[in-house]
Amino acid sequence: MTTLQAPLDEPQTGEGRRKASALTGGLSAAILTRAAKDAFVKLDPRKLTGNPVIFATWIVALLSTVSAVAALANHQAAGFAIQVAAWLWATVLFANLAESVAEGRGKAAADSLRATRVTTNAKLIIDDKTGTIIPTAAHKLVPGEVILVEAGDVIPTDGEIIEGMASVNEAAITGESAPVIRESGGDRSAVTGGTTVVSDWIKVRVTASPGGTFLDRMIAMVEGADRRKTPNEIALAVLLAGLTLIFLIAVVTLLGLGRFSGVALDPLVLGALFITLIPTTIGGLLSAVGIAGMDRLMKHNVLATSGRAVEAAGDVDTLLLDKTGTITFGNRMATEVIAAPGVRPDAALRAAVSASLADETPEGRSIVELGRNQGIVIEAPEGATSIAFSATTRQSGLDAGGMSWRKGAVDAVYRSLALDPKQVPAEVTAAVDRIARSGGTPLAVSENGVLVGVIHLKDVVKPNVKERFADLRRMGLRTVMITGDNPVTAAAIASEAGVDDFLAEATPEDKLRLIREEQGRGRLVAMCGDGANDAPALAQADVGVAMQTGAQAAREAGNMVDLDSDPTKVIEIVEVGKQMLITRGALTTFSIANDVAKYFAIIPAMFVVALPALGALNVMRLHSPQSAILSAVIFNALVIVALIPLALKGVKYRAIGAGKLLSRNLTVYGLGGLIAPFVGIKLIDLIVSGLGLA
């Protein structure tokens, strides 16, 4: 097993960091050169059978080439046949080029990852009691073994931290040069092979089998070698095949029309006419649109396991978001301690600080900091026993010298003190209610079995979140906030953030049940998560976004991985998915309108001599039937090239309703598709006839 190591450059953030990431894969000269070579390799008919439109173009190009060679062998004029054959081959090459350019970004990124791999040894722990270790090649590690990773060491493979805490540089994977803290327990225990421990040490239990590390999967996903067609792509491919068959029948019937009207139609002309009428534009760009959608996700540092996942993101109806870290900043801070009646404020604050001395969570540290800011500095007594938080007691604290301090969920503290809610002083009840209604989290504090006060933990809603949710609502998405808070607190945060609904006091079973209920109503659901308890919901959701820093189970369950571990990224993922669907729809609209226009532009020019009545439809006044066909073939090839940038970049996303979006597509791409062939073919006809090419 080989792992990835990359040197640290200057700290980068935002757009600069994304550009520095190996996943960005810009459109360089090297990528274009490689794509051009791949375009010729894809001329193999076995590689084209999955695209009926381009495969039909390949067949006609081959027949046209045979016709040109036969004309030359018989010493006949072959200029027209050669030109038609050349432009038909160009059409196939341009379609291959569009797909190859889209694939080229992923291949370049995968090559970049491979180039920075190094072989490393691991410190395999064979006796935990004595600390005995033996150097072991990374590729020989198997799941379940425990390794020691110290400052300066490269983490040799994927695993879970079982002991210790360390600062880890993950620039090689995420592109972010700022080290992050990884520690045993919780949802920050997963480590990735190829990252580097900057300080301290950790013991890691191996979770990846040889060849199955996150890096190996990342390279496979980036390359897109196993990219399968999405359901919409398959449906569109069937539609294009049907249209191809329809136009084949229509062109064949022209033989009878030609005989009836006294026009001798050359099979070469009919073949070229057939290619100009079938939807070659969208046929040539269809794969590129899907691959480019995955590439746009890569630019957001998100890896999708398949194009199917990206497409599903574009069709999502319901978006489930965790409150903490997604809608709010997540680090709840203590802002005040409200004393119970008969308790001095400084005594209540001192009790809260004492209960938090052994609490290393951000909330616990903020309580200690609040006391320090008000002049209360307490050191944990020798021999003190820390009481860790548990899901059963829902409180934590400290015992020392016959004294005890506890803080935790209000109902849990009341229960531990055997207090009936009716026995709680009205001032305390009012304080708890006020904190909850303001969107904060109340924690009750007790000292020696007596209720002494309430701590106010405040969680801040991220800026611009409400506007983002309003955009999603205009797109027809329903947003649901998931939180473990009580219903009153959840309602306050939901109102401030502008979500459509919320699920309070949520358990893993509650999340799973909610997703199934939404899917039972025919909706597609997206959610993000990072903990092992999120794995069932991530697996059930249509779009499951796992955090790269999260638990291994979550990463295995999701069909996308966010390398930045930013839960708000799910909003960008939905937008990228919708942009891919919008782009495909726009290009399909343009292509079909394009073909209709070409039909009415070319047919009158071919038959106007034999059927003068068609002169009324011959608005383009093309030079001759041959120049009309050649101009249409040239336009057919060049329009693919002209639309490659749009297919790769995507149609600009706008948060508008389906009705407005349809109207816009019909106006811009439908009307544009009708007008473009008339203008383009006429200009090419003037050039072709002026140069005497037809």
Side-chain angles (χ1 to χ4, degrees), residues 329-354:
F329 283 106
N331 290 334
R332 297 177 297 177
M333 308 297 290
T335 58
E336 61 176 332
V337 175
I338 304 165
V343 179
R344 297 193 319 273
D346 63 320
L349 179 57
R350 184 177 293 274
V353 171
S354 298

Side-chain angles (χ1 to χ4, degrees), residues 32 77 132-133 210 213 262 265 295 311 318 331 473 503 549 628 665:
L32 291 175
T132 305
I133 62 173
T213 67
L265 295 177
D295 180 69
E311 183 177 286
T318 302
N331 290 334
R473 192 174 298 109
L503 178 65
T549 57
N665 272 359

Side-chain angles (χ1 to χ4, degrees), residues 474-500:
R474 283 193 290 271
M475 293 159 45
L477 268 75
R478 177 171 173 263
T479 53
V480 180
M481 181 186 78
I482 300 177
T483 177
D485 288 336
N486 62 70
V488 176
T489 301
I493 294 290
S495 175
E496 185 178 353
V499 296
D500 298 310

Side-chain angles (χ1 to χ4, degrees), residues 30-55:
I31 291 178
L32 291 175
T33 301
R34 182 174 184 169
K37 293 178 181 177
D38 289 345
F40 282 93
V41 173
K42 291 177 182 289
L43 287 176
D44 184 340
R46 292 170 297 181
K47 298 181 181 294
L48 297 175
T49 52
N51 191 331
V53 175
I54 302 304
F55 184 60

Side-chain angles (χ1 to χ4, degrees), residues 12-27:
Q12 295 171 325
T13 57
E15 188 63 25
R17 177 189 51 72
R18 287 196 292 270
K19 290 180 180 178
S21 171
L23 298 179
T24 304
L27 194 60

